[in-house]
Amino acid sequence: MTLVDDLGEPVPVTGPASRVVSLVPSLTEAVEVSAPGRLAGATDYCTHPSTLDVPRVGGSKYPKIDEVLDLAPDLVLANSEENRPEDVERLRANGIPVWVMAAAASVPAALGSLRRILTQAYELEEPGWLVEAEELWREVRPVRFHAVVPVWRKPWIVLGRETFGGDVLRRVGVANVYAASEERYPRPDVGELRAHFAADADLLVLPDEPYLFTEEDGPDHFPDARYVLVSGRHLTWYGPSLVEAHAALTETLSEL
């Protein structure tokens, strides 16, 4: 049986995936919740489920490919934005099927990709959390705030056009002021960011990953800006966390 991943590349699995290495934290959570016990390895950053006990193979950007090969997986899960093409090609050159999920620009796109992985590579029935997440995130609420959304500092990096996190926020009523940027992750200087709060932004959204923004590190650079601290997992992870993310982000915004 030959499947095709999100990038159109063949994934020559020989049956339902039963020994999988995931190089993407949110995919790790999605497959372990949906098909417990089939993961043979994951990255150091795969923190959910918290009970997951499998060999760790380094980070997403720089996985230890030799250790992945030693685990003899029947499938490796990767992401076009988080994983390097050269690592994917080396795995394939060693006969390991790799399913690369495209960098999703929206919640529906991410859930659609997850559905294909779970129903095709794993041959599962559609999981309940996925159906619930689709229902919760179908609505796009009217805009209440216009936000700057940094995801890194030193240098400053913000969410730009066609990002999953930007779509998450838009669906709960927060428009990203960099949504029309030519880049998905622009790198404006802090002066430009501050200028938005005198012009077209009324909210600063600070996640705790990939950069750990806190009360003491982040808001201090924008003394006149209203801000919220949010879970980076709720903002940027696709998978079962989307169910709790909808309620959590809605509650946070309702308190403003």
Side-chain angles (χ1 to χ4, degrees), residues 35-148:
R38 297 205 212 176
L39 282 173
T43 76
D44 298 337
Y45 300 104
C46 294
T47 57
H48 290 75
S50 59
T51 55
L52 183 65
D53 183 17
V54 296
R56 303 294 171 154
V57 294
S60 298
K61 289 292 185 186
Y62 300 99
K64 299 173 182 176
I65 299 299
D66 288 337
E67 294 184 13
V68 176
L69 294 173
D70 288 344
L71 292 171
D74 56 16
L75 180 66
V76 170
L77 299 175
N79 179 277
S80 63
E81 188 170 72
E82 295 190 46
N83 304 113
R84 301 184 304 167
E86 55 263 41
D87 292 329
V88 172
E89 290 308 313
R90 185 179 169 200
L91 289 166
R92 286 174 172 159
N94 280 273
I96 306 298
V98 183
W99 186 303
V100 180
M101 180 179 176
S106 69
V107 175
L111 291 174
S113 289
L114 286 169
R115 175 179 282 104
R116 290 208 320 119
I117 291 172
L118 295 172
T119 61
Q120 295 181 21
Y122 276 79
E123 298 188 16
L124 299 174
E125 295 295 325
E126 193 173 65
W129 65 259
L130 196 153
V131 176
E132 185 178 0
E134 283 186 325
E135 288 295 325
L136 286 170
W137 289 97
R138 182 169 288 119
E139 179 188 5
V140 180
R141 294 175 178 171
V143 173
R144 293 178 56 206
F145 305 101
H146 294 80
V148 171

Side-chain angles (χ1 to χ4, degrees), residues 7 10 28 32 52 71 74 110 120 144-146 149 157 176-177 182 206 211 213 218 236 238 256:
L7 304 188
T28 298
E32 181 64 14
L52 183 65
L71 292 171
D74 56 16
Q120 295 181 21
R144 293 178 56 206
F145 305 101
H146 294 80
V149 192
I157 302 176
N176 176 13
V177 300
E182 293 182 358
L206 298 170
Y211 186 89
F213 288 106
T236 62
Y238 32 80
L256 292 175

